[in-house]
């Protein structure tokens, strides 16, 4: 355990909302506010009162003095009666000054199934959440009133919010990123991004450069340049397994991505990157004009056996294996590993263009969540092995 300087005591009646997920160790502390899974409630004899009012200390004086001991997830389970839990919404607590007691304040009935993502917006006093019921909802944290909702095309697995423009970004398991414009009690669909071949597993928003990063189970990260208003999408390939967590250091413009392969990749985003080209379709090699195996007419006319089609990652042309026998990294296009390129592009790539723009580190565990503290340069990782690790990133993020 690494002990840091003791933080000053919070203000009176300060609230803390945090999101507690399953026992895999996935947690995301957010200043001032904290969330936990709401247990399944047995039928009570309280005359059908609203569960939110039943747990409100003002409505129920007995609940005002009930606190949860600091025993982690199991301590909370014991305080709530243990057993199986079903997440239907969030629960708000008052955190004591010594951080050893949490007093329930209110419940948020937000979803009909397990909550997948949750976020508190301090500036607007909003609580945003998504669930396995394919619903996105936002509530007022002062009144607990539901302000609105939106049904997504698939189960949401990523959630980010821009306070200035009130845009919310929702990534789902179909690989789509949905952008909504939120008002006080309604929302408008702005657009959708479709660039991943696998489900979106993590989102990260840079409000300064107005750039959205999305990680996916297809092992890639895509940078969506929303502020540029040109629809630019930069692909980053640096993992051998699905990307499960993203974090961004704004002061150095470095992206930190972690994946199921245990790798921690630090990307330098302060360079002029290039978009990957569209793959061209052709019935024959665009270099030597040899037919591909489905081009029966040209095979019959030339009396040649058809070849397999490949694509050059540099120019996007359809080429055969003989014309693309070379491999090369293209860091400015996001390819930190060696990829297939045609012979002419391989000769055109200079040594300076092959210089890496990312650093690779092995965390020795399957990371599912990260949190980066820019003031200290510390990176907190938690994995499926139920281990939390603290990393000093100042040598690489500075």
């Amino acid at each position: 355990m690494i002990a840091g300087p003791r933080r000053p005591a919070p203000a009176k009646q300060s609230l803390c909302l945090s999101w507690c997920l399953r026992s895999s160790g996935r947690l995301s502390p957010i200043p001032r506010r904290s969330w936990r899974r709401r247990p399944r409630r047995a039928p009570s004899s309280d005359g059908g009162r609203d569960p939110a009012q039943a747990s409100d200390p003002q409505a129920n004086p007995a609940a005002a003095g009930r606190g949860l001991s600091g025993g982690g997830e199991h301590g909370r389970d014991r305080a709530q009666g243990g057993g199986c839990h079903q997440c239907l919404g969030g629960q708000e607590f008052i955190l004591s000054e010594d951080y050893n007691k949490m007093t329930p304040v209110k419940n948020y009935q937000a979803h009909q199934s397990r909550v997948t993502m949750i976020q508190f917006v301090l500036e607007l006093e909003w609580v945003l959440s998504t669930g396995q019921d394919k619903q996105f909802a936002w509530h007022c944290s002062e009144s607990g009133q539901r302000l609105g909702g939106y049904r997504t095309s698939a189960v949401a697995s990523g959630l980010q919010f821009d306070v200035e423009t009130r845009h919310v970004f929702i990534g789902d398991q179909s690989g789509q990123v949905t952008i909504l414009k939120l008002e006080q009690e309604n929302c408008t669909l702005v657009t959708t991004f479709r660039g991943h071949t696998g489900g979106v597993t993590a989102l990260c928003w840079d409000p300064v450069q107005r750039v959205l990063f999305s990680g996916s189970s297809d092992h890639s990260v895509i940078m969506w340049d929303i502020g540029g208003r040109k629809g630019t999408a930069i692909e980053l390939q640096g993992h051998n397994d699905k990307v499960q967590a993203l974090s961004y250091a704004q002061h150095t413009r470095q992206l930190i991505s972690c994946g199921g392969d245990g790798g921690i990749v630090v990307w330098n985003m302060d360079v002029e990157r290039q978009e990957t080209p569209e793959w061209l379709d052709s019935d024959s090699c665009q270099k030597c004009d040899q037919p591909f195996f489905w081009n029966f007419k040209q095979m019959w006319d030339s009396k040649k056996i058809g070849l397999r089609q490949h694509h050059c990652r540099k120019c996007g042309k359809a080429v055969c294996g003989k014309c693309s026998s070379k491999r090369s990294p293209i860091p400015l296009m996001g390819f930190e590993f060696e990829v297939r390129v045609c012979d002419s592009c391989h000769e055109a790539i200079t040594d300076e263009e092959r210089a890496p723009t990312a650093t690779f580190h092995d965390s020795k565990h399957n990371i599912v969540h990260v949190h980066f503290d820019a003031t200290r340069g510390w990176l907190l990782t938690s994995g499926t092995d139920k281990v939390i690790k603290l990393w000093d990133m100042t040598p690489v993020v500075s």
Side-chain angles (χ1 to χ4, degrees):
M1 178 177 181
I2 299 178
R6 182 176 179 86
R7 293 184 295 176
K12 183 179 180 180
Q13 294 293 313
S14 64
L15 297 180
C16 182
L17 296 183
S18 175
W19 183 27
C20 297
L21 280 179
R22 46 192 176 273
S23 59
S24 61
R26 186 176 181 182
L27 55 91
S28 176
I30 303 176
R32 290 193 58 195
R33 296 247 161 194
S34 183
W35 285 78
R36 69 172 303 253
R37 291 182 296 176
R38 185 173 182 269
R40 181 181 304 181
R41 294 181 178 271
S44 61
S45 58
D46 57 0
R49 289 184 301 170
D50 187 358
Q53 296 178 357
S55 63
D56 194 331
Q58 297 178 357
N60 185 6
R66 183 175 67 247
L68 302 181
S69 59
E73 183 71 20
H74 300 288
R76 287 189 291 270
D77 289 343
R78 289 195 299 269
Q80 294 291 341
C84 180
H85 290 250
Q86 181 182 9
C87 187
L88 301 178
Q91 186 170 358
E92 186 174 321
F93 298 88
I94 293 179
L95 184 63
S96 63
E97 295 185 0
D98 58 359
Y99 301 100
N100 288 323
K101 181 180 179 181
M102 292 193 303
T103 305
V105 177
K106 65 168 69 77
N107 291 331
Y108 294 85
Q109 296 287 350
H111 300 279
Q112 299 298 323
S113 184
R114 182 185 298 273
V115 173
T116 56
M117 303 295 295
I118 197 164
Q119 187 172 358
F120 173 66
V121 183
L122 176 63
E123 294 82 356
L124 302 175
E125 297 291 341
W126 284 357
V127 178
L128 315 178
S129 62
T130 59
Q132 288 187 347
D133 55 358
K134 300 181 182 179
Q135 287 288 338
F136 162 74
W138 72 101
H139 291 71
C140 175
S141 62
E142 294 299 315
S143 62
Q145 179 184 1
R146 178 185 173 96
L147 299 178
Y150 180 85
R151 183 170 180 83
T152 57
S153 59
V155 177
S157 51
L159 180 64
Q160 290 290 300
F161 183 75
D162 180 55
V163 178
E164 181 180 352
T165 61
R166 297 189 180 183
H167 284 97
V168 62
F169 308 95
I170 306 173
D172 57 44
Q173 294 181 357
S174 68
Q176 176 177 292
V177 178
T178 304
I179 303 180
L180 302 175
K181 171 73 172 181
L182 298 188
E183 301 296 341
Q184 187 62 29
E185 295 183 356
N186 60 75
C187 66
T188 305
L189 175 64
V190 177
T191 186
T192 56
F193 293 153
R194 297 178 179 89
H196 290 289
T197 58
V200 175
T201 54
L203 290 179
C204 185
W205 170 247
D206 176 18
V208 178
Q209 302 294 330
R210 311 201 62 77
V211 172
L212 179 70
F213 300 95
S214 61
S216 172
S217 57
D218 61 6
H219 308 179
S220 69
V221 178
I222 295 181
M223 183 190 77
W224 308 92
D225 187 8
I226 298 176
R229 300 182 181 274
K230 297 180 180 180
T232 305
I234 304 298
E235 188 175 354
L236 305 176
Q237 297 282 353
H239 289 277
N240 295 318
D241 203 340
K242 61 181 179 180
V243 180
Q244 300 192 129
L246 296 173
S247 185
Y248 188 71
Q250 296 181 2
H251 61 293
T252 59
R253 295 193 63 184
Q254 289 177 287
L255 176 69
I256 303 174
S257 62
C258 303
D261 54 358
I264 300 177
V265 184
V266 181
W267 304 86
N268 180 15
M269 305 308 299
D270 197 18
V271 295
E272 190 68 26
R273 294 188 175 272
Q274 306 171 11
E275 282 190 288
T276 54
E278 294 287 340
W279 285 5
L280 304 178
D281 293 329
S282 178
D283 293 331
S284 59
C285 177
Q286 294 181 310
K287 292 294 183 179
C288 64
D289 201 32
Q290 292 292 322
F292 294 132
F293 62 85
W294 61 82
N295 191 353
F296 298 106
K297 183 179 185 304
Q298 188 175 353
M299 284 192 295
W300 177 264
D301 295 340
S302 60
K303 300 298 186 293
K304 293 181 180 180
I305 299 177
L307 305 176
R308 182 182 176 184
Q309 178 183 257
H310 301 281
H311 285 91
C312 174
R313 270 54 173 183
K314 176 68 175 178
C315 62
K317 291 183 178 180
V319 293
C320 64
K322 183 178 179 181
C323 296
S324 59
S325 59
K326 304 295 179 63
R327 303 290 185 274
S328 173
I330 317 176
L332 295 182
M333 284 188 172
F335 298 109
E336 294 290 334
F337 304 145
E338 290 188 348
V339 292
R340 181 186 296 272
V341 293
C342 63
D343 295 345
S344 57
C345 287
H346 185 272
E347 297 177 357
I349 299 176
T350 63
D351 293 337
E352 295 180 354
E353 293 176 333
R354 292 189 175 95
T357 61
T359 58
F360 298 84
H361 314 273
D362 189 6
S363 66
K364 303 296 183 181
H365 70 156
N366 185 355
I367 299 175
V368 294
H369 186 80
V370 299
H371 176 74
F372 180 69
D373 184 359
T375 58
R376 299 180 181 179
W378 288 359
L379 181 71
L380 182 72
T381 63
S382 61
T384 56
D385 53 2
K386 302 181 182 179
V387 175
I388 297 176
K389 297 184 179 182
L390 190 61
W391 307 85
D392 183 9
M393 301 295 291
T394 53
V396 293
V397 182
S398 61

